[in-house]
PDB file of all heavy atoms in Angstrom:
ATOM      1  N   THR A1198       2.822  16.755  11.960  1.00  0.00           N
ATOM      2  CA  THR A1198       2.839  18.155  11.946  1.00  0.00           C
ATOM      3  C   THR A1198       2.721  18.715  10.414  1.00  0.00           C
ATOM      4  O   THR A1198       3.128  18.002   9.572  1.00  0.00           O
ATOM      5  CB  THR A1198       4.039  18.812  12.571  1.00  0.00           C
ATOM      6  OG1 THR A1198       4.069  20.215  12.575  1.00  0.00           O
ATOM      7  CG2 THR A1198       5.403  18.420  11.853  1.00  0.00           C
ATOM      8  N   ARG A1199       2.237  19.933  10.307  1.00  0.00           N
ATOM      9  CA  ARG A1199       2.190  20.555   8.972  1.00  0.00           C
ATOM     10  C   ARG A1199       3.411  21.430   8.755  1.00  0.00           C
ATOM     11  O   ARG A1199       3.597  21.808   7.657  1.00  0.00           O
ATOM     12  CB  ARG A1199       0.987  21.382   8.778  1.00  0.00           C
ATOM     13  CG  ARG A1199      -0.293  20.722   8.846  1.00  0.00           C
ATOM     14  CD  ARG A1199      -1.493  21.742   8.697  1.00  0.00           C
ATOM     15  NE  ARG A1199      -2.767  20.954   8.827  1.00  0.00           N
ATOM     16  CZ  ARG A1199      -3.326  20.539  10.046  1.00  0.00           C
ATOM     17  NH1 ARG A1199      -2.789  20.875  11.160  1.00  0.00           N
ATOM     18  NH2 ARG A1199      -4.466  19.931   9.980  1.00  0.00           N
ATOM     19  N   ASP A1200       4.236  21.594   9.779  1.00  0.00           N
ATOM     20  CA  ASP A1200       5.354  22.511   9.683  1.00  0.00           C
ATOM     21  C   ASP A1200       6.655  21.747   9.841  1.00  0.00           C
ATOM     22  O   ASP A1200       7.006  21.272  10.890  1.00  0.00           O
ATOM     23  CB  ASP A1200       5.220  23.558  10.727  1.00  0.00           C
ATOM     24  CG  ASP A1200       6.229  24.677  10.684  1.00  0.00           C
ATOM     25  OD1 ASP A1200       7.211  24.596   9.923  1.00  0.00           O
ATOM     26  OD2 ASP A1200       6.091  25.659  11.426  1.00  0.00           O
ATOM     27  N   GLN A1201       7.475  21.872   8.843  1.00  0.00           N
ATOM     28  CA  GLN A1201       8.809  21.038   8.806  1.00  0.00           C
ATOM     29  C   GLN A1201       9.795  21.586   9.978  1.00  0.00           C
ATOM     30  O   GLN A1201      10.495  20.854  10.486  1.00  0.00           O
ATOM     31  CB  GLN A1201       9.424  21.215   7.449  1.00  0.00           C
ATOM     32  CG  GLN A1201      10.682  20.452   7.303  1.00  0.00           C
ATOM     33  CD  GLN A1201      10.415  18.964   7.114  1.00  0.00           C
ATOM     34  OE1 GLN A1201       9.396  18.465   6.853  1.00  0.00           O
ATOM     35  NE2 GLN A1201      11.464  18.135   7.257  1.00  0.00           N
ATOM     36  N   ALA A1202       9.607  22.873  10.243  1.00  0.00           N
ATOM     37  CA  ALA A1202      10.497  23.441  11.252  1.00  0.00           C
ATOM     38  C   ALA A1202      10.232  22.825  12.611  1.00  0.00           C
ATOM     39  O   ALA A1202      11.114  22.788  13.486  1.00  0.00           O
ATOM     40  CB  ALA A1202      10.220  24.906  11.347  1.00  0.00           C
ATOM     41  N   ILE A1203       9.015  22.325  12.907  1.00  0.00           N
ATOM     42  CA  ILE A1203       8.770  21.758  14.139  1.00  0.00           C
ATOM     43  C   ILE A1203       9.544  20.355  14.329  1.00  0.00           C
ATOM     44  O   ILE A1203      10.097  20.091  15.301  1.00  0.00           O
ATOM     45  CB  ILE A1203       7.151  21.420  14.362  1.00  0.00           C
ATOM     46  CG1 ILE A1203       6.482  22.780  14.545  1.00  0.00           C
ATOM     47  CG2 ILE A1203       6.958  20.554  15.503  1.00  0.00           C
ATOM     48  CD1 ILE A1203       5.065  22.686  14.541  1.00  0.00           C
ATOM     49  N   CYS A1204       9.612  19.683  13.215  1.00  0.00           N
ATOM     50  CA  CYS A1204      10.409  18.387  13.172  1.00  0.00           C
ATOM     51  C   CYS A1204      11.875  18.693  13.508  1.00  0.00           C
ATOM     52  O   CYS A1204      12.521  17.949  14.312  1.00  0.00           O
ATOM     53  CB  CYS A1204      10.293  17.760  11.771  1.00  0.00           C
ATOM     54  SG  CYS A1204       8.756  17.057  11.539  1.00  0.00           S
ATOM     55  N   VAL A1205      12.384  19.850  12.945  1.00  0.00           N
ATOM     56  CA  VAL A1205      13.777  20.179  13.184  1.00  0.00           C
ATOM     57  C   VAL A1205      13.976  20.513  14.662  1.00  0.00           C
ATOM     58  O   VAL A1205      14.957  20.105  15.277  1.00  0.00           O
ATOM     59  CB  VAL A1205      14.185  21.373  12.235  1.00  0.00           C
ATOM     60  CG1 VAL A1205      15.604  21.899  12.618  1.00  0.00           C
ATOM     61  CG2 VAL A1205      14.116  20.959  10.780  1.00  0.00           C
ATOM     62  N   LYS A1206      13.074  21.278  15.199  1.00  0.00           N
ATOM     63  CA  LYS A1206      13.292  21.749  16.643  1.00  0.00           C
ATOM     64  C   LYS A1206      13.063  20.559  17.519  1.00  0.00           C
ATOM     65  O   LYS A1206      13.746  20.472  18.639  1.00  0.00           O
ATOM     66  CB  LYS A1206      12.062  22.740  16.980  1.00  0.00           C
ATOM     67  CG  LYS A1206      12.254  24.118  16.452  1.00  0.00           C
ATOM     68  CD  LYS A1206      11.191  24.922  16.757  1.00  0.00           C
ATOM     69  CE  LYS A1206      11.369  26.391  16.131  1.00  0.00           C
ATOM     70  NZ  LYS A1206      10.114  27.266  16.309  1.00  0.00           N
ATOM     71  N   MET A1207      12.400  19.516  17.100  1.00  0.00           N
ATOM     72  CA  MET A1207      12.199  18.291  18.020  1.00  0.00           C
ATOM     73  C   MET A1207      13.379  17.303  17.819  1.00  0.00           C
ATOM     74  O   MET A1207      13.399  16.318  18.480  1.00  0.00           O
ATOM     75  CB  MET A1207      10.875  17.589  17.740  1.00  0.00           C
ATOM     76  CG  MET A1207       9.698  18.564  18.320  1.00  0.00           C
ATOM     77  SD  MET A1207       8.235  17.712  17.936  1.00  0.00           S
ATOM     78  CE  MET A1207       8.193  16.365  19.071  1.00  0.00           C
ATOM     79  N   GLY A1208      14.231  17.527  16.809  1.00  0.00           N
ATOM     80  CA  GLY A1208      15.411  16.725  16.587  1.00  0.00           C
ATOM     81  C   GLY A1208      14.995  15.433  15.856  1.00  0.00           C
ATOM     82  O   GLY A1208      15.727  14.381  15.854  1.00  0.00           O
ATOM     83  N   CYS A1209      13.852  15.471  15.047  1.00  0.00           N
ATOM     84  CA  CYS A1209      13.529  14.218  14.309  1.00  0.00           C
ATOM     85  C   CYS A1209      13.457  14.577  12.905  1.00  0.00           C
ATOM     86  O   CYS A1209      12.692  13.984  12.217  1.00  0.00           O
ATOM     87  CB  CYS A1209      12.221  13.661  14.873  1.00  0.00           C
ATOM     88  SG  CYS A1209      10.828  14.851  14.969  1.00  0.00           S
ATOM     89  N   ALA A1210      14.086  15.478  12.421  1.00  0.00           N
ATOM     90  CA  ALA A1210      14.097  15.899  10.944  1.00  0.00           C
ATOM     91  C   ALA A1210      14.522  14.805  10.067  1.00  0.00           C
ATOM     92  O   ALA A1210      14.208  14.722   8.917  1.00  0.00           O
ATOM     93  CB  ALA A1210      14.874  17.207  10.830  1.00  0.00           C
ATOM     94  N   GLY A1211      15.466  13.890  10.515  1.00  0.00           N
ATOM     95  CA  GLY A1211      16.042  12.946   9.715  1.00  0.00           C
ATOM     96  C   GLY A1211      15.052  11.800   9.423  1.00  0.00           C
ATOM     97  O   GLY A1211      15.411  10.967   8.462  1.00  0.00           O
ATOM     98  N   ASN A1212      14.032  11.598  10.177  1.00  0.00           N
ATOM     99  CA  ASN A1212      13.179  10.417  10.094  1.00  0.00           C
ATOM    100  C   ASN A1212      11.855  10.807   9.566  1.00  0.00           C
ATOM    101  O   ASN A1212      10.752  10.231   9.905  1.00  0.00           O
ATOM    102  CB  ASN A1212      13.036   9.868  11.422  1.00  0.00           C
ATOM    103  CG  ASN A1212      14.334   9.365  11.992  1.00  0.00           C
ATOM    104  OD1 ASN A1212      15.100   8.694  11.227  1.00  0.00           O
ATOM    105  ND2 ASN A1212      14.560   9.430  13.236  1.00  0.00           N
ATOM    106  N   ASN A1213      11.658  11.828   8.633  1.00  0.00           N
ATOM    107  CA  ASN A1213      10.448  12.249   8.291  1.00  0.00           C
ATOM    108  C   ASN A1213       9.840  11.389   7.015  1.00  0.00           C
ATOM    109  O   ASN A1213      10.573  10.839   6.344  1.00  0.00           O
ATOM    110  CB  ASN A1213      10.526  13.671   7.594  1.00  0.00           C
ATOM    111  CG  ASN A1213      10.887  14.765   8.715  1.00  0.00           C
ATOM    112  OD1 ASN A1213      10.800  14.377   9.923  1.00  0.00           O
ATOM    113  ND2 ASN A1213      11.153  15.922   8.301  1.00  0.00           N
ATOM    114  N   ILE A1214       8.479  11.374   7.178  1.00  0.00           N
ATOM    115  CA  ILE A1214       7.800  10.686   6.035  1.00  0.00           C
ATOM    116  C   ILE A1214       6.781  11.795   5.621  1.00  0.00           C
ATOM    117  O   ILE A1214       5.908  12.174   6.388  1.00  0.00           O
ATOM    118  CB  ILE A1214       7.052   9.382   6.539  1.00  0.00           C
ATOM    119  CG1 ILE A1214       7.990   8.333   6.942  1.00  0.00           C
ATOM    120  CG2 ILE A1214       6.184   8.893   5.317  1.00  0.00           C
ATOM    121  CD1 ILE A1214       7.382   7.224   7.602  1.00  0.00           C
ATOM    122  N   GLN A1215       7.038  12.309   4.383  1.00  0.00           N
ATOM    123  CA  GLN A1215       6.127  13.340   3.958  1.00  0.00           C
ATOM    124  C   GLN A1215       4.865  12.752   3.392  1.00  0.00           C
ATOM    125  O   GLN A1215       4.847  11.975   2.491  1.00  0.00           O
ATOM    126  CB  GLN A1215       6.840  14.210   2.900  1.00  0.00           C
ATOM    127  CG  GLN A1215       5.891  15.371   2.584  1.00  0.00           C
ATOM    128  CD  GLN A1215       6.733  16.414   1.651  1.00  0.00           C
ATOM    129  OE1 GLN A1215       7.924  16.239   1.526  1.00  0.00           O
ATOM    130  NE2 GLN A1215       5.926  17.305   1.231  1.00  0.00           N
ATOM    131  N   MET A1216       3.767  13.091   3.893  1.00  0.00           N
ATOM    132  CA  MET A1216       2.385  12.648   3.627  1.00  0.00           C
ATOM    133  C   MET A1216       1.844  13.500   2.377  1.00  0.00           C
ATOM    134  O   MET A1216       2.138  14.702   2.380  1.00  0.00           O
ATOM    135  CB  MET A1216       1.464  12.630   4.708  1.00  0.00           C
ATOM    136  CG  MET A1216       1.813  11.868   5.928  1.00  0.00           C
ATOM    137  SD  MET A1216       2.108  10.120   5.584  1.00  0.00           S
ATOM    138  CE  MET A1216       0.474   9.599   5.234  1.00  0.00           C
ATOM    139  N   GLN A1217       1.275  12.887   1.510  1.00  0.00           N
ATOM    140  CA  GLN A1217       0.741  13.518   0.285  1.00  0.00           C
ATOM    141  C   GLN A1217      -0.728  13.420   0.446  1.00  0.00           C
ATOM    142  O   GLN A1217      -1.316  12.636   1.242  1.00  0.00           O
ATOM    143  CB  GLN A1217       1.184  12.870  -0.930  1.00  0.00           C
ATOM    144  CG  GLN A1217       2.597  12.839  -1.222  1.00  0.00           C
ATOM    145  CD  GLN A1217       3.228  14.181  -1.258  1.00  0.00           C
ATOM    146  OE1 GLN A1217       2.621  15.122  -1.915  1.00  0.00           O
ATOM    147  NE2 GLN A1217       4.397  14.489  -0.672  1.00  0.00           N
ATOM    148  N   CYS A1218      -1.492  14.376  -0.318  1.00  0.00           N
ATOM    149  CA  CYS A1218      -2.908  14.216  -0.299  1.00  0.00           C
ATOM    150  C   CYS A1218      -3.328  12.885  -0.962  1.00  0.00           C
ATOM    151  O   CYS A1218      -2.562  12.419  -1.828  1.00  0.00           O
ATOM    152  CB  CYS A1218      -3.459  15.423  -1.094  1.00  0.00           C
ATOM    153  SG  CYS A1218      -3.232  16.879  -0.179  1.00  0.00           S
ATOM    154  N   LEU A1219      -4.515  12.338  -0.688  1.00  0.00           N
ATOM    155  CA  LEU A1219      -4.963  11.227  -1.320  1.00  0.00           C
ATOM    156  C   LEU A1219      -5.368  11.420  -2.773  1.00  0.00           C
ATOM    157  O   LEU A1219      -5.748  12.557  -3.106  1.00  0.00           O
ATOM    158  CB  LEU A1219      -6.227  10.660  -0.438  1.00  0.00           C
ATOM    159  CG  LEU A1219      -5.948  10.362   0.883  1.00  0.00           C
ATOM    160  CD1 LEU A1219      -7.367  10.030   1.496  1.00  0.00           C
ATOM    161  CD2 LEU A1219      -4.998   9.283   1.054  1.00  0.00           C
ATOM    162  N   GLY A1220      -5.231  10.444  -3.576  1.00  0.00           N
ATOM    163  CA  GLY A1220      -5.691  10.404  -4.863  1.00  0.00           C
ATOM    164  C   GLY A1220      -7.213  10.378  -4.969  1.00  0.00           C
ATOM    165  O   GLY A1220      -7.918  10.152  -3.929  1.00  0.00           O
ATOM    166  N   GLU A1221      -7.801  10.616  -6.087  1.00  0.00           N
ATOM    167  CA  GLU A1221      -9.175  10.600  -6.257  1.00  0.00           C
ATOM    168  C   GLU A1221      -9.901   9.441  -5.740  1.00  0.00           C
ATOM    169  O   GLU A1221     -10.870   9.505  -5.065  1.00  0.00           O
ATOM    170  CB  GLU A1221      -9.517  10.833  -7.764  1.00  0.00           C
ATOM    171  CG  GLU A1221     -10.823  11.290  -8.061  1.00  0.00           C
ATOM    172  CD  GLU A1221     -11.037  11.519  -9.589  1.00  0.00           C
ATOM    173  OE1 GLU A1221     -10.178  12.438 -10.132  1.00  0.00           O
ATOM    174  OE2 GLU A1221     -11.939  11.073 -10.216  1.00  0.00           O
ATOM    175  N   ASP A1222      -9.455   8.165  -6.089  1.00  0.00           N
ATOM    176  CA  ASP A1222     -10.137   6.861  -5.707  1.00  0.00           C
ATOM    177  C   ASP A1222      -9.928   6.716  -4.126  1.00  0.00           C
ATOM    178  O   ASP A1222     -10.936   6.344  -3.561  1.00  0.00           O
ATOM    179  CB  ASP A1222      -9.552   5.705  -6.384  1.00  0.00           C
ATOM    180  CG  ASP A1222      -9.922   5.715  -7.931  1.00  0.00           C
ATOM    181  OD1 ASP A1222     -10.933   6.449  -8.341  1.00  0.00           O
ATOM    182  OD2 ASP A1222      -9.268   5.086  -8.700  1.00  0.00           O
ATOM    183  N   ASP A1223      -8.798   7.005  -3.565  1.00  0.00           N
ATOM    184  CA  ASP A1223      -8.605   6.785  -2.270  1.00  0.00           C
ATOM    185  C   ASP A1223      -9.406   7.861  -1.397  1.00  0.00           C
ATOM    186  O   ASP A1223      -9.969   7.458  -0.413  1.00  0.00           O
ATOM    187  CB  ASP A1223      -7.093   6.826  -1.854  1.00  0.00           C
ATOM    188  CG  ASP A1223      -6.301   5.664  -2.332  1.00  0.00           C
ATOM    189  OD1 ASP A1223      -6.867   4.639  -2.494  1.00  0.00           O
ATOM    190  OD2 ASP A1223      -5.074   5.852  -2.629  1.00  0.00           O
ATOM    191  N   ALA A1224      -9.419   8.962  -1.999  1.00  0.00           N
ATOM    192  CA  ALA A1224     -10.229  10.046  -1.251  1.00  0.00           C
ATOM    193  C   ALA A1224     -11.759   9.650  -1.206  1.00  0.00           C
ATOM    194  O   ALA A1224     -12.490   9.709  -0.093  1.00  0.00           O
ATOM    195  CB  ALA A1224     -10.149  11.442  -1.868  1.00  0.00           C
ATOM    196  N   TRP A1225     -12.263   9.161  -2.376  1.00  0.00           N
ATOM    197  CA  TRP A1225     -13.708   8.754  -2.515  1.00  0.00           C
ATOM    198  C   TRP A1225     -13.949   7.599  -1.497  1.00  0.00           C
ATOM    199  O   TRP A1225     -14.823   7.537  -0.776  1.00  0.00           O
ATOM    200  CB  TRP A1225     -13.998   8.393  -3.800  1.00  0.00           C
ATOM    201  CG  TRP A1225     -15.457   7.812  -4.106  1.00  0.00           C
ATOM    202  CD1 TRP A1225     -15.759   6.620  -4.539  1.00  0.00           C
ATOM    203  CD2 TRP A1225     -16.704   8.467  -3.723  1.00  0.00           C
ATOM    204  NE1 TRP A1225     -17.061   6.517  -4.607  1.00  0.00           N
ATOM    205  CE2 TRP A1225     -17.647   7.570  -4.064  1.00  0.00           C
ATOM    206  CE3 TRP A1225     -17.058   9.740  -3.265  1.00  0.00           C
ATOM    207  CZ2 TRP A1225     -19.051   7.925  -3.949  1.00  0.00           C
ATOM    208  CZ3 TRP A1225     -18.334  10.058  -3.062  1.00  0.00           C
ATOM    209  CH2 TRP A1225     -19.296   9.032  -3.452  1.00  0.00           C
ATOM    210  N   ASN A1226     -13.003   6.584  -1.407  1.00  0.00           N
ATOM    211  CA  ASN A1226     -13.112   5.419  -0.552  1.00  0.00           C
ATOM    212  C   ASN A1226     -13.128   5.803   0.914  1.00  0.00           C
ATOM    213  O   ASN A1226     -13.983   5.316   1.667  1.00  0.00           O
ATOM    214  CB  ASN A1226     -12.008   4.385  -0.854  1.00  0.00           C
ATOM    215  CG  ASN A1226     -12.260   3.629  -2.238  1.00  0.00           C
ATOM    216  OD1 ASN A1226     -13.472   3.553  -2.687  1.00  0.00           O
ATOM    217  ND2 ASN A1226     -11.065   3.209  -2.811  1.00  0.00           N
ATOM    218  N   LEU A1227     -12.176   6.774   1.255  1.00  0.00           N
ATOM    219  CA  LEU A1227     -12.238   7.162   2.702  1.00  0.00           C
ATOM    220  C   LEU A1227     -13.456   7.921   3.072  1.00  0.00           C
ATOM    221  O   LEU A1227     -14.023   7.587   4.207  1.00  0.00           O
ATOM    222  CB  LEU A1227     -10.951   8.031   2.926  1.00  0.00           C
ATOM    223  CG  LEU A1227     -10.828   8.641   4.367  1.00  0.00           C
ATOM    224  CD1 LEU A1227     -10.506   7.480   5.344  1.00  0.00           C
ATOM    225  CD2 LEU A1227      -9.714   9.673   4.339  1.00  0.00           C
ATOM    226  N   PHE A1228     -13.934   8.763   2.191  1.00  0.00           N
ATOM    227  CA  PHE A1228     -15.247   9.496   2.452  1.00  0.00           C
ATOM    228  C   PHE A1228     -16.362   8.495   2.561  1.00  0.00           C
ATOM    229  O   PHE A1228     -17.253   8.664   3.544  1.00  0.00           O
ATOM    230  CB  PHE A1228     -15.466  10.550   1.395  1.00  0.00           C
ATOM    231  CG  PHE A1228     -16.542  11.458   1.584  1.00  0.00           C
ATOM    232  CD1 PHE A1228     -16.364  12.504   2.506  1.00  0.00           C
ATOM    233  CD2 PHE A1228     -17.796  11.323   0.991  1.00  0.00           C
ATOM    234  CE1 PHE A1228     -17.421  13.388   2.758  1.00  0.00           C
ATOM    235  CE2 PHE A1228     -18.808  12.221   1.240  1.00  0.00           C
ATOM    236  CZ  PHE A1228     -18.674  13.252   2.098  1.00  0.00           C
ATOM    237  N   ARG A1229     -16.472   7.671   1.664  1.00  0.00           N
ATOM    238  CA  ARG A1229     -17.557   6.597   1.705  1.00  0.00           C
ATOM    239  C   ARG A1229     -17.578   5.869   3.000  1.00  0.00           C
ATOM    240  O   ARG A1229     -18.526   5.533   3.558  1.00  0.00           O
ATOM    241  CB  ARG A1229     -17.498   5.677   0.523  1.00  0.00           C
ATOM    242  CG  ARG A1229     -18.021   6.270  -0.737  1.00  0.00           C
ATOM    243  CD  ARG A1229     -18.212   5.216  -1.902  1.00  0.00           C
ATOM    244  NE  ARG A1229     -17.724   3.874  -1.613  1.00  0.00           N
ATOM    245  CZ  ARG A1229     -17.050   3.172  -2.312  1.00  0.00           C
ATOM    246  NH1 ARG A1229     -16.727   3.673  -3.510  1.00  0.00           N
ATOM    247  NH2 ARG A1229     -16.535   2.005  -2.072  1.00  0.00           N
ATOM    248  N   TYR A1230     -16.294   5.509   3.421  1.00  0.00           N
ATOM    249  CA  TYR A1230     -16.042   4.634   4.799  1.00  0.00           C
ATOM    250  C   TYR A1230     -16.764   5.446   5.920  1.00  0.00           C
ATOM    251  O   TYR A1230     -17.395   4.915   6.690  1.00  0.00           O
ATOM    252  CB  TYR A1230     -14.630   4.461   5.044  1.00  0.00           C
ATOM    253  CG  TYR A1230     -14.376   3.907   6.343  1.00  0.00           C
ATOM    254  CD1 TYR A1230     -14.541   2.530   6.579  1.00  0.00           C
ATOM    255  CD2 TYR A1230     -13.826   4.718   7.390  1.00  0.00           C
ATOM    256  CE1 TYR A1230     -14.296   1.885   7.798  1.00  0.00           C
ATOM    257  CE2 TYR A1230     -13.626   4.047   8.511  1.00  0.00           C
ATOM    258  CZ  TYR A1230     -13.809   2.679   8.767  1.00  0.00           C
ATOM    259  OH  TYR A1230     -13.477   2.134  10.066  1.00  0.00           O
ATOM    260  N   TYR A1231     -16.502   6.757   6.036  1.00  0.00           N
ATOM    261  CA  TYR A1231     -17.050   7.596   7.207  1.00  0.00           C
ATOM    262  C   TYR A1231     -18.447   7.885   6.986  1.00  0.00           C
ATOM    263  O   TYR A1231     -19.095   7.932   7.976  1.00  0.00           O
ATOM    264  CB  TYR A1231     -16.211   8.840   7.268  1.00  0.00           C
ATOM    265  CG  TYR A1231     -14.907   8.518   8.061  1.00  0.00           C
ATOM    266  CD1 TYR A1231     -13.704   8.374   7.448  1.00  0.00           C
ATOM    267  CD2 TYR A1231     -14.813   8.386   9.430  1.00  0.00           C
ATOM    268  CE1 TYR A1231     -12.420   8.191   8.043  1.00  0.00           C
ATOM    269  CE2 TYR A1231     -13.734   8.100  10.190  1.00  0.00           C
ATOM    270  CZ  TYR A1231     -12.536   7.941   9.434  1.00  0.00           C
ATOM    271  OH  TYR A1231     -11.410   7.533  10.152  1.00  0.00           O
ATOM    272  N   VAL A1232     -18.895   8.226   5.789  1.00  0.00           N
ATOM    273  CA  VAL A1232     -20.433   8.419   5.599  1.00  0.00           C
ATOM    274  C   VAL A1232     -21.234   7.272   5.797  1.00  0.00           C
ATOM    275  O   VAL A1232     -22.217   7.173   6.440  1.00  0.00           O
ATOM    276  CB  VAL A1232     -20.700   9.122   4.224  1.00  0.00           C
ATOM    277  CG1 VAL A1232     -22.203   9.331   4.060  1.00  0.00           C
ATOM    278  CG2 VAL A1232     -19.922  10.409   4.121  1.00  0.00           C
ATOM    279  N   GLY A1233     -20.707   6.088   5.079  1.00  0.00           N
ATOM    280  CA  GLY A1233     -21.480   4.938   5.094  1.00  0.00           C
ATOM    281  C   GLY A1233     -22.108   4.628   3.732  1.00  0.00           C
ATOM    282  O   GLY A1233     -22.695   5.634   3.140  1.00  0.00           O
ATOM    283  N   GLU A1234     -22.078   3.594   3.232  1.00  0.00           N
ATOM    284  CA  GLU A1234     -22.615   3.099   1.905  1.00  0.00           C
ATOM    285  C   GLU A1234     -24.084   3.374   1.966  1.00  0.00           C
ATOM    286  O   GLU A1234     -24.693   3.822   0.844  1.00  0.00           O
ATOM    287  CB  GLU A1234     -22.257   1.720   1.618  1.00  0.00           C
ATOM    288  CG  GLU A1234     -20.834   1.383   1.289  1.00  0.00           C
ATOM    289  CD  GLU A1234     -20.291   2.079   0.049  1.00  0.00           C
ATOM    290  OE1 GLU A1234     -21.074   2.234  -0.906  1.00  0.00           O
ATOM    291  OE2 GLU A1234     -19.098   2.438   0.059  1.00  0.00           O
ATOM    292  N   GLU A1235     -24.810   3.049   3.025  1.00  0.00           N
ATOM    293  CA  GLU A1235     -26.296   3.165   2.957  1.00  0.00           C
ATOM    294  C   GLU A1235     -26.704   4.650   2.644  1.00  0.00           C
ATOM    295  O   GLU A1235     -27.701   4.876   2.006  1.00  0.00           O
ATOM    296  CB  GLU A1235     -26.910   2.638   4.220  1.00  0.00           C
ATOM    297  CG  GLU A1235     -26.551   3.350   5.602  1.00  0.00           C
ATOM    298  CD  GLU A1235     -25.174   3.001   6.107  1.00  0.00           C
ATOM    299  OE1 GLU A1235     -24.552   2.095   5.564  1.00  0.00           O
ATOM    300  OE2 GLU A1235     -24.718   3.653   7.014  1.00  0.00           O
ATOM    301  N   ILE A1236     -25.967   5.595   3.256  1.00  0.00           N
ATOM    302  CA  ILE A1236     -26.371   7.022   3.058  1.00  0.00           C
ATOM    303  C   ILE A1236     -25.950   7.341   1.669  1.00  0.00           C
ATOM    304  O   ILE A1236     -26.773   8.054   0.858  1.00  0.00           O
ATOM    305  CB  ILE A1236     -25.586   7.923   4.065  1.00  0.00           C
ATOM    306  CG1 ILE A1236     -26.030   7.628   5.413  1.00  0.00           C
ATOM    307  CG2 ILE A1236     -25.792   9.382   3.726  1.00  0.00           C
ATOM    308  CD1 ILE A1236     -27.497   7.951   5.836  1.00  0.00           C
ATOM    309  N   ILE A1237     -24.748   7.148   1.143  1.00  0.00           N
ATOM    310  CA  ILE A1237     -24.236   7.442  -0.097  1.00  0.00           C
ATOM    311  C   ILE A1237     -25.095   6.861  -1.291  1.00  0.00           C
ATOM    312  O   ILE A1237     -25.386   7.657  -2.156  1.00  0.00           O
ATOM    313  CB  ILE A1237     -22.786   6.887  -0.401  1.00  0.00           C
ATOM    314  CG1 ILE A1237     -21.779   7.679   0.550  1.00  0.00           C
ATOM    315  CG2 ILE A1237     -22.360   7.017  -1.773  1.00  0.00           C
ATOM    316  CD1 ILE A1237     -21.418   9.114   0.180  1.00  0.00           C
ATOM    317  N   ASN A1238     -25.584   5.629  -1.062  1.00  0.00           N
ATOM    318  CA  ASN A1238     -26.293   4.911  -2.098  1.00  0.00           C
ATOM    319  C   ASN A1238     -27.870   5.266  -1.918  1.00  0.00           C
ATOM    320  O   ASN A1238     -28.583   4.708  -2.740  1.00  0.00           O
ATOM    321  CB  ASN A1238     -26.000   3.503  -2.194  1.00  0.00           C
ATOM    322  CG  ASN A1238     -24.612   3.172  -2.670  1.00  0.00           C
ATOM    323  OD1 ASN A1238     -24.031   4.018  -3.411  1.00  0.00           O
ATOM    324  ND2 ASN A1238     -23.891   2.337  -2.016  1.00  0.00           N
ATOM    325  N   ALA A1239     -28.226   5.884  -0.907  1.00  0.00           N
ATOM    326  CA  ALA A1239     -29.710   6.147  -0.769  1.00  0.00           C
ATOM    327  C   ALA A1239     -30.338   6.974  -1.856  1.00  0.00           C
ATOM    328  O   ALA A1239     -31.564   6.778  -2.111  1.00  0.00           O
ATOM    329  CB  ALA A1239     -29.948   6.764   0.618  1.00  0.00           C
ATOM    330  N   ASP A1240     -29.573   7.874  -2.412  1.00  0.00           N
ATOM    331  CA  ASP A1240     -30.181   8.798  -3.314  1.00  0.00           C
ATOM    332  C   ASP A1240     -29.054   9.257  -4.343  1.00  0.00           C
ATOM    333  O   ASP A1240     -27.979   9.531  -3.915  1.00  0.00           O
ATOM    334  CB  ASP A1240     -30.679  10.040  -2.558  1.00  0.00           C
ATOM    335  CG  ASP A1240     -31.447  11.088  -3.509  1.00  0.00           C
ATOM    336  OD1 ASP A1240     -30.724  11.698  -4.321  1.00  0.00           O
ATOM    337  OD2 ASP A1240     -32.612  11.198  -3.364  1.00  0.00           O
TER     338      ASP A1240
END
């Protein structure tokens, strides 16, 4: 969820793992994975 209040309402507020945005390299690798190397490197 994007909303911490939802975790509290569901009773799982103590077991949270807060996700952060990806760093530059990880973001690029994830994007390349979904697009495909053949498209990215075509031009």
Side-chain angles (χ1 to χ4, degrees):
T1198 179
R1199 292 178 183 85
D1200 188 349
Q1201 187 74 21
I1203 292 173
C1204 291
V1205 172
K1206 288 179 183 176
M1207 293 181 68
C1209 55
N1212 297 322
N1213 292 351
I1214 299 172
Q1215 185 170 356
M1216 302 300 292
Q1217 302 296 321
C1218 292
L1219 298 175
E1221 198 173 303
D1222 290 340
D1223 290 333
W1225 175 241
N1226 289 335
L1227 181 64
F1228 189 77
R1229 281 190 354 222
Y1230 173 79
Y1231 279 101
V1232 173
E1234 291 293 330
E1235 63 282 351
I1236 299 289
I1237 294 283
N1238 294 322
D1240 186 292

